[in-house]
Amino acid sequence: RRKGSSKLRDPIHATIVVLYDTVARKRMAWAVIHLPSAVERDLAKRHRTARAAQWLAAARGTKRRLNKLSRRYKCHGRAIAADWNINLKRLWARALLKTLAPRYTLAWKSMPAGGTHGSRLIDAVIYRGQISAWSQLAPDDDSSDHRPFLTHFTWTGAR
């Protein structure tokens, strides 16, 4: 533990896989990550706290690693599914994601009335490549403190 880092949590890890669609004969790289919580205010106000820095480093690092593996395995599409822990109903949060991943598209095509964590929309997929996607809220259940959501993908472009 470094001095002054008492508010940081364990290191952030992302799970990344490359999947092969045997019908379309295309590869898709996926990253799944849970980013640090309690950073929304700091990120919105651009406060340089250790937790905000950890959030930014994890988001950037996951995108870089996903892009590297996507190139290595010649993937046709790539996506990051995350608990971003920032309310994507807010314009600044969507702008932050766009700044971090300018070539990626948010799968929420419109903001739902509800959220994935109370009224906040903190879970989302961003994607790029020869794919199109859109997300929708699923019925809530007792499996998590987050409301489930579905993201529908279709391949675009030539085989």
Side-chain angles (χ1 to χ4, degrees), residues 87-144:
N87 189 358
L88 295 167
K89 289 184 178 182
R90 299 188 185 275
L91 181 59
W92 74 262
R94 294 191 307 274
L96 176 60
L97 278 189
K98 198 60 172 171
T99 299
L100 292 171
R103 297 181 67 189
Y104 284 74
T105 301
L106 182 64
W108 290 104
K109 299 306 178 198
S110 61
M111 295 296 111
T116 57
H117 197 262
S119 63
R120 297 170 61 228
L121 188 68
I122 65 172
D123 303 290
V125 172
I126 60 173
Y127 67 93
R128 67 177 270 204
Q130 296 176 17
I131 51 177
S132 179
W134 60 276
S135 293
Q136 70 180 71
L137 290 173
D140 206 354
D141 61 26
D142 295 329
S143 66
S144 171

Side-chain angles (χ1 to χ4, degrees), residues 10-140:
D10 294 332
I12 307 302
H13 300 282
T15 300
I16 302 176
V17 297
V18 175
L19 304 173
Y20 182 68
D21 182 334
T22 58
V23 175
R25 297 188 310 214
K26 292 185 177 187
R27 285 184 193 85
M28 174 87 174
W30 270 96
V32 179
I33 187 167
H34 183 272
L35 290 158
S37 60
V39 296
E40 189 165 6
R41 183 174 182 272
D42 291 336
L43 290 170
K45 303 289 185 187
R46 297 184 181 171
H47 293 157
R48 295 180 183 195
T49 63
R51 288 181 69 76
Q54 187 182 35
W55 188 99
L56 289 164
R60 286 183 184 121
T62 299
K63 184 198 72 162
R64 275 192 219 110
R65 181 71 176 143
L66 180 67
N67 286 342
K68 183 176 180 180
L69 287 173
S70 294
R71 287 188 299 274
R72 179 177 175 188
Y73 290 98
K74 298 177 176 58
C75 292
H76 301 88
R78 57 193 85 164
I80 301 171
D83 176 348
W84 298 98
N85 270 311
I86 57 174
N87 189 358
L88 295 167
K89 289 184 178 182
R90 299 188 185 275
L91 181 59
W92 74 262
R94 294 191 307 274
L96 176 60
L97 278 189
K98 198 60 172 171
T99 299
L100 292 171
R103 297 181 67 189
Y104 284 74
T105 301
L106 182 64
W108 290 104
K109 299 306 178 198
S110 61
M111 295 296 111
T116 57
H117 197 262
S119 63
R120 297 170 61 228
L121 188 68
I122 65 172
D123 303 290
V125 172
I126 60 173
Y127 67 93
R128 67 177 270 204
Q130 296 176 17
I131 51 177
S132 179
W134 60 276
S135 293
Q136 70 180 71
L137 290 173
D140 206 354

